[in-house]
Amino acid sequence: MSSASEETTKGSTLRNAFGGVLGFFILLLIGILAFSIRLFSVIKYESVIHEFDPYFNYRVTQFLTKNGIYDFWNWFDDRTWYPLGRVIGGTVYPGLTLTAGTLWWFLNSLNIPLSVETVCVFTAPIFSAFAAWATYLLTKEVKGIGAGITAAGLLAMVPSYISRSVAGSYDNEAVAIFALIFTFYLYLKTLNTGSLFYATLNALSYFYMVCSWGGYTFIINLIPMHVLLCIVTGRYSSRLYIAYAPLVVLGTLLAALVPVVGFNAVMTSEHFASFLVFIIIHVVALVYYIKGILSPKMFKVAMTLVVTIGLAVFCAFIAVLVALVASSPTKGWSGRSLSLLDPTYASKYIPIIASVSEHQPPTWPSYFMDINVLAFLVPAGIIACFLPLSDASSFAVLYIVTSAYFSGVMVRLMLVLAPAACILSGIALSEAFDVFTRSIKFQLPKALRMTDSSAGDTNPESAALPNDVKPEKHSSSDKTEDNLKERPSKKNRKKEKENIEKVAIKPKHEKKKRLLVLPLEASVVAILLLIILGGFYVVHCVWAAAEAYSAPSIVLTSHSHDGLHVFDDFREAYAWLRHNTEVDDKVASWWDYGYQTTAMANRTVIVDNNTWNNTHIATVGTAMSSPEKQAWEIFNSLDVKYVLVVFGGLVGYPSDDINKFLWMVRIGGGVFPHIKEPDYLRDGQYRIDSQATPTMLNCLMYKLSYYRFVETDGKGFDRVRRTEIGKKYIKLTHFEEVFTTHHWMVRIYKLKPPKNRIKGKSKKSKSV
Amino acid sequence: MVKSSGSDDARALIRSLRVAYSATPTTLKIIDLYVCFAVLTALIQAVYMGMVGSFPFNSFLSGELSCIGTAVLAVCLRIQVNKENKEFKDLPLERAFADFVLCNLVLHLVIMNFLG
């Protein structure tokens, strides 16, 4: 007897060890997959930094590696926001740059001479591998190893996350998502173990998140929400106290250390929820403690006493809090946070926020594009989380619900939804596989024996099941119900949901725990369907990574009948600026191109993508929408030498300045009321053909974009707007064209020097 | 009549509280004293802030949060070493204390950054 049990334990340890090694290798492969699926951009294009913000981060990292950490904190950048400048050290989230800088320093001290750019390009893929492992850990805390591995595999290639972390996409989100998931993991780990050690790690990981991304407010609001949920549903435990209270104190202090957050960590409303819950959890802890040491009768007496006093104190406290919040400007909420709570806020009040495409609400297809089949698996995952509901699984549910709401407000918060969707889908898939494989495992031997003994039996498992010796007995009525339900449901998710529901409902009905067994054929078919579903997901993800999300946007390509065309105009223009202008010349452009101009052309810009000064941006917007003379005056007052416009009319590049022009008018008009949007619209329509308004045809942006355009094809046909332009022969009086790139995508103009007085006089006399 | 019964209740409550508390082990009582001291210091600072103002805000923040943090960590330690807490039965005392020291170390290293 004992030897037999020993043998089984030996067998199980061997199996566990084997499973552990297998799991390790699967995770390793998942990490490699997460890294390599993001390399399409390097393979298809080249190893470059993408888009706009990454160029700024790259420039900061270059500064950091060259001048060291102390100069970085004190860096005042005079090459942007001329003439104001910008205090870089105090206004950036330093997590990403410090990470890449450390990585670069570490590799160099190992005598691996990589350039800063290479390190920056590959930071995001490396951290997405980390994020996949963090997802494994987090889901393991919620639902065990199987779900963890599935979720990690899903996260490694979820398109939403790929879109922000392909090689070259060197942006805050690249490391922040890892930090977000890891912080949540450590919180759940502390909650499950009640160890102060993990609580410390949790606070440090939260610190890293605060360093990396403004999205840390999501953590500091979600965790209190979960704590409150636990308290309200009567799940308070001392582990909850250990998980939460040290996090608030340490986390607040650590957050206040980051210069860009500073004392905002205790002053703004985004953080107040955590303090309120901090107080509540102390009250609750005290109540539980007193309840523990008193007899029930005395406790009742104590309650009546405390409640009367406590209510008064609580009311006073709320009054103080409300007064505090009301006294702070904008009621303590920043514009971006307000636009979270009220999705229409930004478009109504802050055009500068609304003008950014990633701050718009997402469309339905973008959900399918970004999380694909996960959207259908999530509901099943939520149900699986309720069976049984633990502290950790309630956190997962809360996470998906809140992030689903936020993703509906802003496209870029889809990124926060993606890990939650992966976790819950991982749980759903793993539970479903669990049920199906168990059914097969228990029924396969039976079925084989049946076919052996009675080969003519039409339905082997129906006979086999009811008098099965194993614990997962099924009444035949239940089974037929299963069959009925299984047959019509072609969609897998429905199937899973039903199955999982059944798994859970069973133990509730009868005290004895019973496992569900489905008919053999049904489970085989279901597993096949699930694998096909997973296959679709993989195919979609690889497609998305290769085609949709890996374009670096500074190098464009287009396929036409005569082969591949590469448009490298941006770098051509920036290189021209770098080589043909003075070091201290100022270049004006719309703010989208500010970061790129400072990073690639090394020239001073007026405005850039860090949109901290609305008036300055409005000034540039006003200049662009004014007639030539006024624009020249504005630019001259800003000491501008060159004006850069992006024009896609020749090659059909849609995100050019003419298409962004209405935002310039709106932002400019918000500060300088003489710019009115209706002046640029004909009957509410934005057009550039001969029907366009005179204000439109005479504004600087129009002139700079279409100057000499008619010489290209003789008609002036704009391939983005698909019309002939309204004013074909444009004469410039105050600007002169100095450079136009190969495909006319970037055009650079120089401000003409002011005319001499004598000449002006003679001209006047001539005109007379 | 009602009032007198209320005060009776209160007196009975305080008596039973005292009786129940006297059963606590001495080590836990020491921790309680430590917590009380930390909370008291925090309260004094809050009152001082109310009277004088929070001008060097970093000093106020670090002083206040160092007291609160110390109290919170001590409460965590107390929860973990309490024999009556079933959840932490297999957690050795030394481990709990080491965690406590580590957490305090991190807390006060951070606090030090706010000095001056």
Side-chain angles (χ1 to χ4, degrees), chain A residues 321-392:
Chain A
L321 199 74
V322 167
L324 267 180
V325 171
S327 67
S328 69
T330 71
K331 305 280 174 280
W333 293 87
S334 64
R336 280 207 179 97
S337 318
L338 269 177
S339 69
L340 280 183
L341 296 178
D342 173 13
T344 56
Y345 177 84
S347 52
K348 268 189 270 178
Y349 300 108
I350 320 170
I352 201 113
I353 289 182
S355 76
V356 181
S357 62
E358 60 184 21
H359 290 161
Q360 305 288 345
T363 53
W364 286 113
S366 73
Y367 274 97
F368 189 73
M369 175 73 195
D370 276 1
I371 56 175
N372 202 244
V373 300
L374 304 186
F376 307 119
L377 290 172
V378 163
I382 292 178
I383 290 166
C385 276
F386 276 103
L387 320 164
L389 190 69
S390 65
D391 292 347

Side-chain angles (χ1 to χ4, degrees), chain A residues 56 108 183 314 369 383 431 547 605 640 646:
Chain A
F56 170 74
N108 268 269
T183 311
F314 186 69
M369 175 73 195
I383 290 166
E431 293 277 316
E547 301 294 333
V605 294
V640 168
V646 172

Side-chain angles (χ1 to χ4, degrees), chain A residues 128-178:
Chain A
S128 41
F130 292 165
W133 293 330
T135 309
Y136 161 73
L137 293 171
L138 172 59
T139 319
K140 201 179 93 180
E141 289 301 315
V142 178
K143 273 281 167 180
I145 292 176
I149 287 182
T150 322
L154 291 175
L155 184 101
M157 45 190 178
V158 63
S160 171
Y161 185 30
I162 286 180
S163 73
R164 293 316 188 96
S165 63
V166 291
S169 180
Y170 179 57
D171 210 346
N172 287 337
E173 289 92 334
V175 296
I177 292 302
F178 158 71

Side-chain angles (χ1 to χ4, degrees), chain B residues 84-99:
Chain B
E84 282 164 26
N85 241 337
K86 300 285 178 293
E87 287 169 86
F88 298 103
K89 239 181 185 154
D90 40 347
L91 187 81
L93 272 180
E94 291 79 7
R95 169 71 198 267
F97 194 70
D99 283 354

